Amino acid sequence: MTDDSQYTPPPGILVPDGAQPAVPPPPAPYGFPLAAAPTLPLGGFATAAIVLTGSYTALSVISAALTPHTIQQLKDTLADPDNASFDVGSLALGLLGNVIAIASFVFLALWMSRLRSNRTALGETPGGPPAVEWWGWFIPVADFVLPYLGMRAITRRLVGVGLLLGWWIPFCLTWVIQPLVVTAQFRAIDLESGKLVHPEVLDTMAPLSWSMAALLTVSWVFLAVIIRKATARHAEPSPTGA
């Protein structure tokens, strides 16, 4: 502890007669300012998350546009299984979609995790379920709520609730519609004979696919805004000083 009464200013520093020289503050630990802890780069993860989720959305639009072709191939296959042709294009598109979906999840979770770490380093406590961005998507039924709660926690005071709902509600609606698209061919056939008895059920795949593509597009636009705003604002001083 430095004794103010014994402190002598360096040569060249003039102190008025009778005035007490100011004691310099102690050096900040590890070379960082006392007012802020070190944060980790966030922009790369933000860009990757936006691009990958956008790519997955674009694939959903392409898939919706190709749905009439897929429906016709299903009808031909179910009507005459012996002369069925293999739809290589749809299979490749599906595999590519799965790969991009996994990559989107990983980089979105990495962005959310690093944003949480940075806000903690800056003296804030995001709260919410710990690391929910990684496991919250895989809990049946609860996955309709947990990822939203995690995003809400890490973006509090950075992004409004309206933007979060604009992202999350359309995304959840795609989860409601998707089973109807996937199971359409099973509902169109007689399970005992394997014959196509309800071709009109297959025809519903087209509007359902377009509905999913539209909802994903709306959801992605809101998500991109959320990521950009939270990334840009998270290091700004809080107006309340928190």
Side-chain angles (χ1 to χ4, degrees):
M1 180 68 70
T2 302
D3 187 350
D4 292 353
S5 64
Q6 297 178 358
Y7 173 70
T8 302
I13 302 298
L14 300 179
V15 179
D17 293 339
Q20 181 67 31
V23 179
Y30 309 110
F32 294 104
L34 291 174
T39 58
L40 299 172
L42 192 58
F45 287 142
T47 300
I50 291 172
V51 170
L52 287 168
T53 52
S55 299
Y56 182 77
T57 301
L59 280 180
S60 73
V61 175
I62 295 173
S63 178
L66 295 176
T67 299
H69 171 72
T70 302
I71 293 173
Q72 188 57 51
Q73 283 224 319
L74 280 173
K75 287 181 178 180
D76 294 341
T77 299
L78 293 172
D80 189 6
D82 294 333
N83 295 321
S85 60
F86 191 66
D87 192 352
V88 179
S90 296
L91 178 61
L93 190 65
L95 291 175
L96 180 60
N98 289 335
V99 171
I100 293 179
I102 294 171
S104 298
F105 160 71
V106 170
F107 278 93
L108 179 60
L110 285 171
W111 175 81
M112 292 176 69
S113 179
R114 182 157 289 190
L115 178 60
R116 181 189 300 276
S117 298
N118 280 359
R119 298 200 72 183
T120 301
L122 292 168
E124 300 187 19
T125 304
V132 71
E133 56 270 16
W134 291 105
W135 56 267
W137 304 84
F138 305 106
I139 309 299
V141 181
D143 57 359
F144 279 87
V145 178
L146 289 174
Y148 171 82
L149 293 179
M151 184 70 84
R152 176 58 180 155
I154 64 173
T155 61
R156 196 176 302 276
R157 295 191 299 275
L158 302 177
V159 175
V161 174
L163 282 176
L164 296 177
L165 293 177
W167 157 63
W168 190 243
I169 291 177
F171 187 78
C172 286
L173 288 176
T174 65
W175 285 350
V176 176
I177 296 174
Q178 189 175 27
L180 299 177
V181 178
V182 173
T183 61
Q185 59 183 307
F186 299 104
R187 292 181 285 117
I189 64 174
D190 178 32
L191 296 178
E192 292 184 1
S193 64
K195 295 182 179 180
L196 179 62
V197 292
H198 299 292
E200 69 279 1
V201 176
L202 294 178
D203 293 331
T204 64
M205 292 173 61
L208 289 173
S209 295
W210 276 115
S211 297
M212 286 182 58
L215 289 167
L216 275 177
T217 301
V218 172
S219 176
W220 176 77
V221 169
F222 279 96
L223 177 61
V225 174
I226 290 168
I227 293 175
R228 289 188 178 278
K229 282 193 172 185
T231 300
R233 295 177 178 178
H234 82 283
E236 297 177 356
S238 173
T240 61

